[in-house]
Amino acid sequence: MEEMEEELKCPVCGSFYREPIILPCSHNLCQACARNILVQTPDSESPQSRRASGSAVSDYDYLDLDKMSLYSEADSGYGSYGGFASAPTTPCQKSPNGVRVFPPAAPPPPAALAPPPPPRNACLTCPQCHRSLVLDERGLRGFPRNRLLEGVIDRYQQGRAAALRCQLCEKAPKEAAVMCEQCDVFYCDPCRLRCHPPRGPLAKHRLVPPAQGRVSRRLSPRKISTCTDHELENHSMYCVQCKSPVCYQCLEEGKHSSHEVKALGAMWKLHKSQLSQALNGLSDRAKEAKEFLVQLRNMVQQIQENSVEFEACLVAQCDALIDALNRRKAQLLSRVNKEHEHKLKVVRDQISHCTVKLRQTTGLMEYCLEVIKENDPSGFLQISDALIRRVHLTEEQWGKGTLTPRMTTDFDLNLDNAPLLQSIHQLDFVQMKVSSPVPAPPILQLEECCTHNNSATLSWKQPPLSTVQVEGYILELDDGNGGQFREVYVGKETMCTVDGLHFNSTYSARVKAFNKSGVSPYSKTLVLQTSEVAWFSFDPASAHADIIFSNDNLTVTCNSYDDRVVLGKTGFSKGLHYWELSIDRYDNHPDPAFGVARIDVLKDAMLGKDDKAWAMYVDNNRSWFMHNNSHTNRTEGGITKGATVGVLLDLTRRTLTFSINEDQQGPVAFENLEGLFFPAVSLNRNVQVTLHTGLPVPEFYASRSAMP
């Protein structure tokens, strides 16, 4: 568990946390250390006043922050003696663990009982992420106490079974002589006389031997976390939006009235389960890292052995060439030694880096396991989100090529000793040893390459007589207009389907192979033509849950009296597209809407109510165009059962036009359309429609398009 010790130490003082508090950025600080690095600024320099004056301020300076004044720490029984409080003021300084922190506030004047100064802004900067926080009127008491971390530290210190040390010694802690049960602090004799004199209020404190104090600390009941806003109330619920435990009184006051609130115990179990699952993946990575370290250490021995063998061979060849080769031999040996040292340096650097990374990972794992053992739901939930993110981030860092050797064990040099004696002065390594040649260009298999709608499937293979090893392929397509090629696939597969292409467009495709030695030339270019018209159906994956599908997702209705939205499976960003919807059922004069929409359109409101949709909604007599809840161009003529509604999207002219029973409804409904659009319908339980696609452009629009 030694690797976990770094997780249990304060980034400011470098010692184990004492009375740790949780900052909004999820990092921890000792309460005394937090006081020491507080910075007080006048009101004119506060983030709020700087924001009001128009100066450039980042969101960190004033997001969810309030004002406060500091509170006194007098009569606490102990305090931040020495350390930062007595250090001279400097622009910045470093804590014992190397984290740069801001300087502490100037020490208070001797007249501690003088009237408090006028309220000023108190700012605290996290020494780990450097996020600035302005405290509210509660000061540091507004930050929750991390009792769960305290429990982990207690168990860790007890498990080490080491002699109890003074907690107030500034440098090398001396062995503790007594423990104060009220202050919960271990003192050596000099610190007890200096910091805990037997007079005044401290005379009533009970001092016990250190061993007895350890037992009483372990047996004392763990304090139950209370609400930071209502200190007499225990946490009973968990706010999902705020990601923090709350009490019954917080809910009564309406602070979380519009938030999703769940039972504290249920969320505790859920987050414990999530952290355990995340740890499983990280544990596998740690196991792979240990095996990788063994592999790297074996590589060091193998490089040493190969180096000795290669040098012996080189010396034997050079000695056979008598005196004329001696001068050249030194030069060749120098090159080999440089290669040797380079390989060793690369591998050893990787071993060092991987060892440090594994130590940090193991420490995080052990800390998380200890956290899971805790039975304090609110304390656990206060840090679980941050721990889960750290675990996922650490796992991702292991997966980014970290467990791949950066150097091979072979010496890629080859000495040619065939030249004649007169060529001795030109003797050199004629070539670097190559593991394998560059692959031959792949062959596109025309019989398996095809297009469907706006998708293209391509297949390729290596030449039949090629024996060169291939590690992967790179497939490239142009933009459909003869522009530059771009990579659309990189991998080991020999078949790929590319979706989301433009309709009625001509694409050029090519592929190349690669291995460690290099990249092959491109294959021959293949020209592909996408469909002129689109064939598609409705998309159940993106539709509202009340939508009912049938007829292979071509027919839809709804089980709700409210309007619900369903989109088509295919999106359009280029070309001319036309589809129709036949009215299979029309009861009680509802107002269905037809048109196009973005993928993130509202699904529980009529189409056109937000700015993500452009639609025509109709009843049995009239039709209207609607976008962003704005109605335009009312047109006579509605729909009945058996009617057909046509939607024509022309992204060349960037217009949208509607028709009912092949009669155009008014002028162009919408103009200046640009981007990606999906066919869309909104309806309720009184309407059923069927989609018809792959249709030619209607005559009324085709004739108009033919006009100059």
Side-chain angles (χ1 to χ4, degrees):
M1 296 175 61
E2 294 181 358
E3 290 85 352
M4 185 177 64
E5 186 168 316
E6 185 177 345
E7 298 282 342
L8 309 181
K9 289 186 176 180
C10 174
V12 176
C13 63
S15 302
F16 288 110
Y17 287 105
R18 293 189 63 254
E19 298 184 1
I21 58 176
I22 306 175
L23 304 181
C25 58
S26 300
H27 293 127
N28 298 286
L29 281 180
C30 299
Q31 193 169 41
C33 294
R35 289 196 205 99
N36 286 336
I37 65 174
L38 279 174
V39 177
Q40 289 185 335
T41 58
D43 290 343
S44 60
E45 299 180 7
S46 67
Q48 291 85 347
S49 59
R50 291 202 305 271
R51 182 186 182 190
S53 63
S55 59
V57 181
S58 68
D59 289 342
Y60 263 129
D61 293 330
Y62 51 77
L63 184 61
D64 296 330
L65 303 176
D66 296 314
K67 296 180 179 179
M68 68 147 283
S69 61
L70 296 177
Y71 66 95
S72 173
E73 54 179 287
D75 298 330
S76 62
Y78 63 92
S80 52
Y81 301 97
F84 287 106
S86 60
T89 303
T90 58
C92 62
Q93 56 192 10
K94 288 188 176 180
S95 66
N97 61 357
V99 177
R100 189 174 297 275
V101 299
F102 285 94
L113 299 179
R120 298 186 301 172
N121 292 291
C123 179
L124 184 147
T125 300
C126 175
Q128 290 183 287
C129 65
H130 306 296
R131 175 176 174 179
S132 296
L133 309 167
V134 177
L135 281 65
D136 60 18
E137 67 279 356
R138 297 171 298 173
L140 296 177
R141 292 174 302 211
F143 296 134
R145 180 90 166 264
N146 195 341
R147 301 188 185 278
L148 189 143
L149 178 57
E150 290 180 300
V152 174
I153 293 174
D154 288 343
R155 287 204 306 272
Y156 178 78
Q157 291 178 326
Q158 295 167 12
R160 294 198 319 183
L164 294 173
R165 300 289 177 179
C166 176
Q167 294 177 274
L168 297 181
C169 289
E170 295 184 4
K171 295 183 179 179
K174 300 179 182 179
E175 186 171 350
V178 295
M179 174 200 172
C180 176
E181 290 187 338
Q182 284 70 33
C183 299
D184 193 22
V185 176
F186 290 94
Y187 299 95
C188 63
D189 287 332
C191 290
R192 177 180 59 82
L193 295 175
R194 178 168 59 92
C195 304
H196 200 287
R199 60 180 179 271
L202 302 180
K204 299 180 181 180
H205 289 195
R206 182 186 178 195
L207 303 180
V208 297
Q212 180 181 346
R214 169 186 280 181
V215 174
S216 62
R217 174 186 284 185
R218 184 168 64 249
L219 297 179
S220 61
R222 184 71 51 83
K223 296 180 180 179
I224 300 176
S225 297
T226 57
C227 179
T228 55
D229 295 329
H230 313 96
E231 297 182 353
L232 300 180
E233 295 289 340
N234 295 334
H235 291 137
S236 58
M237 302 295 288
Y238 180 80
C239 178
V240 178
Q241 277 77 6
C242 299
K243 294 185 178 180
S244 64
V246 296
C247 70
Y248 176 78
Q249 192 169 346
C250 289
L251 301 180
E252 287 290 324
E253 294 175 354
K255 295 181 179 179
H256 307 269
S257 59
S258 60
H259 295 179
E260 181 181 4
V261 179
K262 295 187 177 181
L264 189 67
M267 293 302 295
W268 174 40
K269 294 180 180 178
L270 175 62
H271 282 234
K272 270 198 173 185
S273 175
Q274 291 176 350
L275 181 57
S276 299
Q277 292 175 2
L279 281 176
N280 289 336
L282 187 59
S283 176
D284 294 338
R285 292 294 183 183
K287 182 179 179 181
E288 294 175 6
K290 292 178 181 178
E291 297 173 352
F292 179 64
L293 282 174
V294 174
Q295 178 185 354
L296 292 178
R297 294 188 178 98
N298 292 336
M299 287 179 64
V300 172
Q301 180 63 27
Q302 192 172 356
I303 290 174
Q304 296 280 15
E305 295 173 357
N306 290 348
S307 174
V308 173
E309 180 182 354
F310 191 84
E311 290 181 10
C313 179
L314 181 61
V315 170
Q317 291 176 341
C318 291
D319 287 344
L321 299 178
I322 317 175
D323 296 337
L325 297 176
N326 289 333
R327 292 185 300 272
R328 194 62 176 169
K329 180 179 68 173
Q331 298 176 7
L332 297 174
L333 283 174
S334 176
R335 290 182 58 182
V336 174
N337 287 330
K338 287 181 180 179
E339 181 73 4
H340 171 210
E341 294 299 328
H342 174 66
K343 288 179 177 290
L344 288 180
K345 183 178 182 303
V346 171
V347 176
R348 284 170 175 164
D349 289 347
Q350 193 172 8
I351 290 176
S352 176
H353 175 75
C354 192
T355 301
V356 172
K357 189 70 177 177
L358 179 61
R359 181 181 181 88
Q360 295 173 349
T361 300
T362 306
L364 177 59
M365 290 171 54
E366 292 179 353
Y367 173 58
C368 291
L369 291 174
E370 291 299 323
V371 169
I372 291 177
K373 294 178 183 178
E374 286 296 310
N375 294 322
D376 182 0
S378 60
F380 180 85
L381 291 173
Q382 288 172 340
I383 65 173
S384 59
D385 284 320
L387 285 179
I388 292 171
R389 287 195 300 270
R390 287 185 60 191
V391 168
H392 284 307
L393 179 60
T394 304
E395 181 181 1
E396 291 174 1
Q397 292 174 347
W398 277 113
K400 297 178 180 177
T402 310
L403 304 182
T404 302
R406 300 174 184 171
M407 182 61 63
T408 63
T409 59
D410 295 332
F411 280 73
D412 301 332
L413 302 170
N414 187 20
L415 181 66
D416 183 7
N417 58 357
L420 299 175
L421 185 61
Q422 59 266 30
S423 302
I424 288 178
H425 291 291
Q426 301 176 356
L427 185 64
D428 198 356
F429 296 103
V430 294
Q431 67 177 16
M432 307 298 286
K433 186 169 61 177
V434 179
S435 58
S436 62
V438 173
I443 300 175
L444 285 166
Q445 303 187 82
L446 302 182
E447 65 276 10
E448 296 185 18
C449 297
C450 62
T451 60
H452 175 71
N453 266 353
N454 61 336
S455 299
T457 299
L458 296 106
S459 178
W460 58 88
K461 64 179 180 180
Q462 283 299 106
L465 300 180
S466 176
T467 59
V468 179
Q469 183 180 4
V470 176
E471 293 186 2
Y473 301 90
I474 300 174
L475 175 63
E476 296 181 356
L477 263 68
D478 67 0
D479 60 358
N481 289 321
Q484 293 184 349
F485 282 83
R486 68 188 190 282
E487 292 183 1
V488 296
Y489 172 76
V490 178
K492 297 181 179 181
E493 301 296 332
T494 58
M495 179 176 287
C496 176
T497 298
V498 183
D499 298 318
L501 303 177
H502 296 304
F503 284 90
N504 195 21
S505 299
T506 301
Y507 287 87
S508 296
R510 64 188 185 184
V511 64
K512 57 185 177 181
F514 64 88
N515 61 12
K516 292 182 179 179
S517 300
V519 181
S520 75
Y522 286 104
S523 66
K524 293 183 179 180
T525 300
L526 177 65
V527 178
L528 300 166
Q529 175 70 41
T530 55
S531 301
E532 294 185 3
V533 295
W535 299 84
F536 59 92
S537 60
F538 290 114
D539 184 16
S542 62
H544 193 278
D546 292 338
I547 297 293
I548 302 173
F549 295 84
S550 60
N551 189 23
D552 293 332
N553 297 333
L554 293 174
T555 301
V556 293
T557 184
C558 181
N559 60 12
S560 172
Y561 285 105
D562 297 321
D563 290 303
R564 302 296 187 233
V565 172
V566 57
L567 302 180
K569 277 190 174 181
T570 302
F572 306 107
S573 59
K574 178 183 176 183
L576 179 62
H577 309 280
Y578 177 74
W579 61 94
E580 293 181 348
L581 300 112
S582 59
I583 311 301
D584 302 331
R585 180 164 50 81
Y586 186 81
D587 302 328
N588 301 323
H589 309 297
D591 300 324
F594 312 87
V596 297
R598 307 289 191 192
I599 189 65
D600 55 346
V601 66
L602 290 176
K603 304 297 193 309
D604 57 355
M606 177 183 288
L607 202 64
K609 286 289 187 179
D610 62 356
D611 62 348
K612 307 292 186 181
W614 295 256
M616 175 185 73
Y617 73 97
V618 295
D619 59 15
N620 61 329
N621 294 317
R622 294 174 299 276
S623 63
W624 295 264
F625 304 143
M626 184 166 62
H627 170 65
N628 200 14
N629 205 25
S630 176
H631 305 72
T632 59
N633 296 334
R634 187 181 73 175
T635 305
E636 297 297 325
I639 61 172
T640 59
K641 179 180 178 182
T644 299
V645 176
V647 183
L648 197 151
L649 177 64
D650 188 347
L651 291 173
T652 302
R653 298 183 177 181
R654 301 191 298 169
T655 61
L656 181 64
T657 307
F658 298 94
S659 65
I660 297 179
N661 296 329
E662 300 183 355
D663 292 330
Q664 182 176 349
Q665 296 299 293
V668 172
F670 299 100
E671 297 178 315
N672 301 321
L673 299 179
E674 188 172 3
L676 181 64
F677 301 91
F678 290 81
V681 176
S682 69
L683 44 74
N684 62 18
R685 65 184 303 163
N686 293 316
V687 182
Q688 176 175 300
V689 300
T690 297
L691 177 66
H692 305 277
T693 62
L695 304 176
V697 177
E699 293 183 2
F700 74 86
Y701 197 85
S703 59
R704 188 177 69 182
S705 300
M707 296 176 63

